[in-house]
Amino acid sequence: MLSAPPCGGVGKPAPPYQPPYGCSYGDRESQIKPIIHVEAIALNLETAIPCGLLINELVTNSLKHAFPNNKSGEICIELYQDQQEKVYFTIKDNGIGIPPGFDWQNSSSLGLKLVQIISKQLKAEINFDSCKGTVVNLRFYPLNYKSRF
């Protein structure tokens, strides 16, 4: 198991991911298990920053909604790149799932609107599945780097 390299990394494997202690959602560390399957891939800023924002928003949604009444569970983050450089990015939990008939594309939720905007920025294919918990899959190619200087 590897975590992503630092910005501008050379693809050198990073140390295993260690979840931070302390959580803004109370003492949930013992109840919510993070599972991280991330390949060491180099992403430019145009791609890495939106990915970080998506991770933050989707994990926050899982923490807020997937495990009511202090239910325990798992949140999994997966990220890998194929030989054609297409990025596969998944955030999933084994919580209560999205309610039947919920239309995430027309939701009034600011967080889901943000997910739509950022996935559009990445030119990503995105789908939600709530068969067993909630699964959000994104597939995209890294964006072209724009020189700033």
Side-chain angles (χ1 to χ4, degrees), residues 44-55 89 104 112-126 138-146 148:
N44 61 39
L45 288 175
E46 276 73 20
T47 306
I49 291 173
C51 284
L53 292 170
L54 284 169
I55 290 170
F89 176 42
W104 70 272
L112 289 178
K113 286 185 187 302
L114 187 60
V115 168
Q116 288 179 43
I117 291 166
I118 295 170
S119 60
K120 226 181 252 186
Q121 177 184 345
L122 287 169
K123 299 179 176 102
E125 303 167 41
I126 181 171
L138 293 108
R139 291 164 304 286
F140 56 90
Y141 288 97
L143 299 173
N144 292 325
Y145 179 75
K146 296 176 186 167
R148 288 166 177 75

Side-chain angles (χ1 to χ4, degrees), residues 89 91 104-105 124-129 135-139:
F89 176 42
I91 305 251
W104 70 272
Q105 292 177 318
E125 303 167 41
I126 181 171
N127 67 29
F128 280 70
D129 181 13
V135 180
V136 181
N137 290 301
L138 293 108
R139 291 164 304 286

Side-chain angles (χ1 to χ4, degrees), residues 93-115:
D93 65 57
N94 63 349
I96 61 172
I98 298 172
F102 181 78
D103 182 4
W104 70 272
Q105 292 177 318
N106 294 309
S107 170
S108 62
S109 160
L110 180 60
L112 289 178
K113 286 185 187 302
L114 187 60
V115 168

Side-chain angles (χ1 to χ4, degrees), residues 37-41 78-82 85-90 140:
H37 298 283
V38 177
E39 284 186 3
I41 61 174
E78 298 174 351
L79 179 74
Y80 68 93
Q81 194 170 31
D82 68 16
E85 296 190 8
K86 191 169 195 174
V87 176
Y88 296 83
F89 176 42
T90 300
F140 56 90

